[in-house]
């Protein structure tokens, strides 16, 4: 039967009903198509069944039903991958019009924007982790059941990357801590909060998070043996230049623990002063002045003190972008069908917090 979408002017699509609801299907894999063709070829075949060898002839309608069920099982077994959408962008609409009924939700955007592939891109990894952390703090229950399932699938891929590549485990520890705290509160107050799915599923997810936290706690960095040029062999001015590129104070402290030379450079007052000036305003300095024993400003302690009271600037290698002309949210390298004469002037980078704010009504 034809499927009437939210936009009655849009072209027709093939839709598959799964456990998580209706999903728009992509062209099927060659192996699946071959299996369906074999089923379709059985429309006029005589099949022997039963002990009494009675002949049962399958009609064309029966074979079509079997092929449809095969397709349904195929998509049900692959619900963790985002293969149902041809586009990697989403139109953000907040109200109903004559042409379009309904509005875009956070869960719908989370499913459509291909975060599973984004975590494999080092430019987007921190962005996705920060977004998941913000969702864990306040928006987890606002996600649909499919979006919540997708959320934990993406989190599983993040953990695999961290355990294999040892990439930014400190950031993941903060995410898991916030997520476990939220789940503990929700599970205790299940009557007051809305949890999609059986309570045992959420208890199992919480146990998985606790297991991940233990794995991160026991994570050992393998010492790489290399006969080539190392970080310690670089000149002092190059090492100092590297430290000035960091925007996170904890990263500076961590790098300073590698060698005595890097420790000396990481304690430079001018380095921490520049870091404070980058993240905070001068008025904020005056409210939280911290002086050392010799009467000078301790910029290092100032940075961590100010961090408790004011948000720091966020830096990401790549972010989602929003087109003000088309009201479309997308990854910049995938693009979108923009109708503006100069599309670049309409683009606006979207921070993780801004992403969530777009779907608050």
């Amino acid at each position: 039967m034809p499927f009437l979408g939210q936009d009655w002017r849009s072209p027709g699509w093939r839709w598959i009903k799964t456990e998580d609801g209706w999903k728009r299907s992509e062209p099927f894999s060659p192996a699946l198509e071959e299996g369906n063709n074999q089923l379709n070829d059985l429309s006029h075949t005589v099949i022997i069944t039963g002990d009494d060898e009675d002949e049962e002839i399958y009609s064309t309608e029966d074979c079509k039903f079997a092929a449809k069920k095969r397709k349904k099982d195929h998509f049900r077994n692959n619900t963790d991958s985002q293969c149902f959408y041809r586009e990697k962008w989403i139109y953000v609409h907040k109200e109903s019009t004559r042409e379009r009924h309904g509005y875009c939700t956070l869960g719908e955007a989370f499913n459509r924007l291909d975060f599973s592939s984004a975590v494999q891109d080092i430019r987007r990894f921190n962005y996705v982790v920060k977004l998941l952390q913000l969702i864990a703090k306040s928006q987890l229950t606002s996600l649909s059941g499919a979006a919540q399932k997708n959320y934990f699938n993406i989190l599983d891929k993040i953990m695999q990357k961290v355990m294999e590549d040892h990439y930014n485990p400190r950031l993941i520890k903060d995410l898991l801590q916030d997520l476990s705290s939220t789940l503990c509160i929700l599970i205790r107050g299940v009557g007051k909060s809305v949890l999609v799915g059986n309570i045992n599923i959420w208890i199992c997810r919480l146990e998985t998070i606790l297991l991940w936290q233990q794995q991160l706690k026991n994570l050992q960095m393998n010492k790489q043996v290399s006969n080539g040029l190392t970080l310690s062999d670089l000149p002092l001015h190059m090492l100092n230049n590297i430290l000035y590129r960091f925007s996170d104070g904890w990263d500076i402290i961590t790098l300073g623990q590698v060698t005595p030379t890097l420790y000396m450079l990481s304690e430079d007052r001018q380095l921490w002063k520049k870091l404070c000036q980058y993240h905070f305003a001068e008025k904020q300095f005056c409210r939280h002045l911290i002086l050392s024993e010799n009467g000078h400003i301790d910029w290092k302690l100032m940075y961590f003190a100010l961090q408790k009271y004011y948000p720091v600037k966020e830096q990401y290698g790549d972010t989602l972008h929003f087109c003000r002309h088309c009201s479309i949210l997308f990854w910049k390298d995938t693009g979108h069908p923009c109708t503006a004469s100069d599309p670049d002037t309409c683009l606006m980078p979207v921070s993780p917090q801004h992403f969530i704010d777009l779907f608050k009504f």
Side-chain angles (χ1 to χ4, degrees):
M1 61 178 291
F3 185 88
L4 184 60
Q6 290 184 339
D7 188 348
W8 54 267
R9 299 179 304 178
S10 65
W13 300 97
R14 296 176 66 98
W15 292 79
I16 300 296
K17 187 176 181 181
T18 67
E19 292 179 340
D20 301 320
W22 286 92
K23 301 290 185 180
R24 195 173 70 201
S25 64
E26 288 283 4
F28 305 111
S29 61
L32 185 62
E33 286 291 347
E34 182 180 354
N36 294 333
N37 293 334
Q38 291 177 357
L39 286 175
N40 293 332
D41 292 339
L42 295 175
S43 58
H44 301 289
T45 304
V46 178
I47 301 177
I48 308 299
T49 59
D51 297 333
D52 54 355
E53 296 187 357
D54 292 336
E55 293 184 351
E56 181 178 355
I57 301 178
Y58 280 76
S59 64
T60 304
E61 293 182 358
D62 292 331
C63 292
K64 287 182 178 180
F65 176 80
K68 186 182 295 185
K69 187 176 186 303
R70 184 184 180 93
K71 295 176 185 177
K72 181 178 179 180
D73 294 339
H74 171 77
F75 281 99
R76 181 177 298 173
N77 295 332
N78 291 276
T79 53
D80 59 333
S81 62
Q82 298 176 332
C83 62
F84 304 109
Y85 304 104
R86 188 173 283 108
E87 302 90 359
K88 301 304 179 184
W89 50 265
I90 187 169
Y91 175 72
V92 181
H93 54 104
K94 295 188 177 182
E95 57 185 11
S96 299
T97 63
R98 290 179 57 188
E99 296 82 7
R100 182 182 291 271
H101 174 67
Y103 54 87
C104 182
T105 64
L106 176 64
E108 184 181 357
F110 191 77
N111 286 337
R112 288 284 295 274
L113 291 172
D114 196 18
F115 288 103
S116 295
S117 301
V119 297
Q120 305 301 330
D121 190 335
I122 193 172
R123 300 171 302 163
R124 302 173 180 172
F125 183 85
N126 291 358
Y127 182 90
V128 177
V129 172
K130 182 63 176 180
L131 177 60
L132 263 62
Q133 186 175 10
L134 292 176
I135 292 176
K137 289 181 178 180
S138 60
Q139 302 295 321
L140 188 61
T141 55
S142 66
L143 299 179
S144 64
Q148 289 176 357
K149 183 177 180 180
N150 188 27
Y151 180 97
F152 284 95
N153 286 332
I154 294 173
L155 188 58
D156 182 49
K157 293 182 179 180
I158 289 175
M159 273 301 302
Q160 291 178 12
K161 183 174 180 62
V162 172
M163 298 303 296
E164 293 173 1
D165 302 339
H166 298 168
Y167 185 75
N168 210 341
R170 178 175 58 83
L171 192 62
I172 313 305
K173 289 179 181 179
D174 295 339
L175 165 60
L176 295 180
Q177 180 61 40
D178 291 335
L179 184 58
S180 61
S181 300
T182 300
L183 287 186
C184 287
I185 295 173
L186 293 176
I187 290 174
R188 292 194 193 102
V190 67
K192 301 178 182 179
S193 303
V194 179
L195 286 174
V196 180
N198 190 284
I199 187 63
N200 294 324
I201 296 177
W202 289 95
I203 294 176
C204 181
R205 287 172 176 171
L206 180 59
E207 292 175 349
T208 302
I209 292 171
L210 297 177
L211 177 61
W212 285 340
Q213 288 178 314
Q214 188 63 36
Q215 290 176 350
L216 289 175
K217 186 177 180 180
N218 300 331
L219 182 63
Q220 298 292 332
M221 301 293 183
N222 297 326
K223 187 176 181 180
Q224 296 183 354
V225 180
S226 176
N227 298 325
L229 187 68
T230 63
L231 184 65
S232 303
D233 298 325
L234 296 176
L236 287 179
H237 72 276
M238 294 186 67
L239 293 174
N240 198 42
N241 191 23
I242 291 174
L243 285 169
Y244 271 82
R245 303 281 181 175
F246 283 86
S247 61
D248 190 337
W250 285 110
D251 291 337
I252 295 176
I253 292 178
T254 303
L255 185 60
Q257 296 173 350
V258 176
T259 63
T261 302
L262 287 171
Y263 176 77
M264 177 191 66
L265 294 175
S266 67
E267 293 294 320
D268 182 23
R269 289 183 64 252
Q270 191 65 22
L271 171 65
W272 290 98
K273 180 180 179 180
K274 291 288 185 182
L275 191 64
C276 288
Q277 291 175 340
Y278 173 75
H279 286 288
F280 310 106
E282 187 175 351
K283 293 181 179 180
Q284 297 169 343
F285 297 159
C286 301
R287 297 175 184 175
H288 305 278
L289 277 178
I290 300 178
L291 301 178
S292 60
E293 295 179 356
N294 54 11
H296 297 292
I297 298 177
D298 193 330
W299 291 104
K300 182 178 179 180
L301 292 180
M302 281 274 292
Y303 169 80
F304 290 104
L306 292 170
Q307 196 179 34
K308 296 178 181 178
Y309 298 100
Y310 308 105
V312 297
K313 291 183 180 179
E314 298 177 354
Q315 275 190 339
Y316 303 103
D318 190 17
T319 67
L320 287 169
H321 281 70
F322 181 74
C323 179
R324 292 187 293 267
H325 178 78
C326 306
S327 297
I328 285 179
L329 194 64
F330 65 101
W331 293 106
K332 191 173 182 179
D333 59 350
T334 59
H336 75 287
C338 188
T339 58
S341 56
D342 190 2
D344 293 336
T345 61
C346 305
L347 302 185
M348 179 180 65
V350 178
S351 67
Q353 184 60 55
H354 187 198
F355 176 86
I356 293 177
D357 293 339
L358 282 174
F359 304 99
K360 288 183 178 180
F361 305 103

